[in-house]
């Protein structure tokens, strides 16, 4: 079964996390929301509380089709400081599985050392954190199996790009129509 791991830390951007999860589920893609803390309760960067399905430590050794990291501060910093997150990203990169991050979180991919030669996007102001990845000015950037988004405003486009990667353009277009998301031309 195709399942995407969504890594959550306190201080994550709620809309980025949950909009992408919602779109994936609409496309009938299984999602495991995993907290990197000792608690399933997550308090987002805007004080909104929601719950993860599992603790990362309990699902770390499962196989996934890909991983998604929402941004938000200080959530992205917490993801980048977690050795299990960095190890998981390196392992998934070796297998060329889907790796995605949005907003502040693409720098976690840089910190994991998996962006050599890759083009990415990130929230304005985080560009200086990249040495290996090349930051480009776009809402969503796909480079091989790595897909990144710029900000909360790009969450829906990013979610649709993940669906396209995992289940094809026809499914992505179907979800786009279902959700009345207008296609943006870049």
């Amino acid at each position: 079964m195709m399942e995407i791991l969504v890594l959550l830390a306190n201080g994550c951007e709620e809309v980025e996390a949950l909009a992408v999860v919602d779109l994936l589920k609409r496309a009938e893609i299984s999602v495991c929301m995993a907290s990197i803390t000792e608690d399933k309760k997550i308090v987002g960067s805007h004080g909104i509380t929601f719950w993860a399905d599992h603790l990362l430590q309990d699902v770390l050794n499962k196989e996934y089709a890909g991983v998604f990291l929402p941004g938000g501060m200080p959530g992205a910093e917490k993801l980048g400081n977690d050795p299990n997150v960095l190890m998981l990203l390196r392992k998934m990169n070796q297998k060329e599985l889907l790796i995605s991050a949005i907003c502040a979180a693409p720098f976690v991919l840089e910190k994991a050392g998996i962006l050599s030669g890759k083009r990415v996007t990130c929230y304005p102001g985080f560009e200086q954190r990249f040495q290996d990845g090349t930051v480009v000015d776009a809402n969503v950037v796909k480079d091989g199996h790595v897909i990144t988004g710029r900000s909360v405003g790009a969450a829906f486009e990013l979610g649709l790009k993940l669906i396209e990667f995992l289940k094809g353009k026809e499914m992505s277009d179907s979800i786009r129509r279902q959700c009345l998301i207008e296609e943006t031309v870049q």
Side-chain angles (χ1 to χ4, degrees):
M1 173 200 273
M2 181 183 305
E3 188 170 31
I4 300 300
L5 179 64
V6 177
L7 299 175
L8 300 171
N10 288 317
C12 70
E13 211 304 323
E14 300 94 336
V15 171
E16 292 169 356
L18 298 177
V20 171
V21 166
D22 178 273
L23 290 173
L24 292 172
K25 288 187 173 225
R26 286 174 189 261
E28 299 181 0
I29 297 168
S30 183
V31 174
C32 174
M33 297 191 317
S35 169
I36 67 164
T37 73
E38 299 293 318
D39 191 351
K40 290 182 189 177
K41 179 181 174 184
I42 300 293
V43 179
S45 60
H46 298 97
I48 299 170
T49 302
F50 60 103
W51 280 260
D53 303 312
H54 301 280
L55 300 179
L56 179 58
Q57 63 197 21
D58 296 336
V59 295
L60 196 54
N61 295 317
K62 263 184 88 184
E63 294 291 322
Y64 296 96
V67 62
F68 169 65
L69 285 67
M73 294 298 275
E77 290 281 4
K78 291 176 182 177
L79 291 174
N81 290 329
D82 188 301
N84 284 326
V85 170
L86 299 176
M87 181 259 321
L88 184 69
L89 288 168
R90 291 179 190 119
K91 202 163 91 176
M92 294 184 99
N93 188 57
Q94 286 175 339
K95 297 178 182 179
E96 295 190 351
L97 297 172
L98 172 66
I99 296 174
S100 182
I102 189 169
C103 196
F107 88 84
V108 180
L109 311 184
E110 173 80 20
K111 194 168 180 183
I114 63 170
L115 292 182
S116 182
K118 295 279 187 201
R119 295 174 342 120
V120 296
T121 191
C122 66
Y123 192 79
F126 281 82
E127 301 89 349
Q128 69 274 12
R129 294 190 182 205
F130 293 83
Q131 281 89 45
D132 293 335
T134 302
V135 179
V136 297
D137 184 18
N139 278 343
V140 176
V141 174
K142 178 186 176 297
D143 191 339
H145 64 283
V146 177
I147 303 174
T148 53
R150 178 181 279 157
S151 70
V152 68
F156 288 101
E157 281 300 322
L158 179 71
L160 291 169
K161 187 58 81 177
L162 299 183
I163 293 167
E164 182 180 331
F165 182 89
L166 295 165
K167 290 192 122 181
K169 183 143 176 55
E170 189 175 313
M171 176 62 82
S172 178
D173 287 346
S174 172
I175 300 301
R176 180 186 296 280
R177 286 189 301 275
Q178 180 188 106
C179 295
L180 304 177
I181 301 169
E182 290 187 31
E183 192 156 5
T184 57
V185 179
Q186 297 188 21

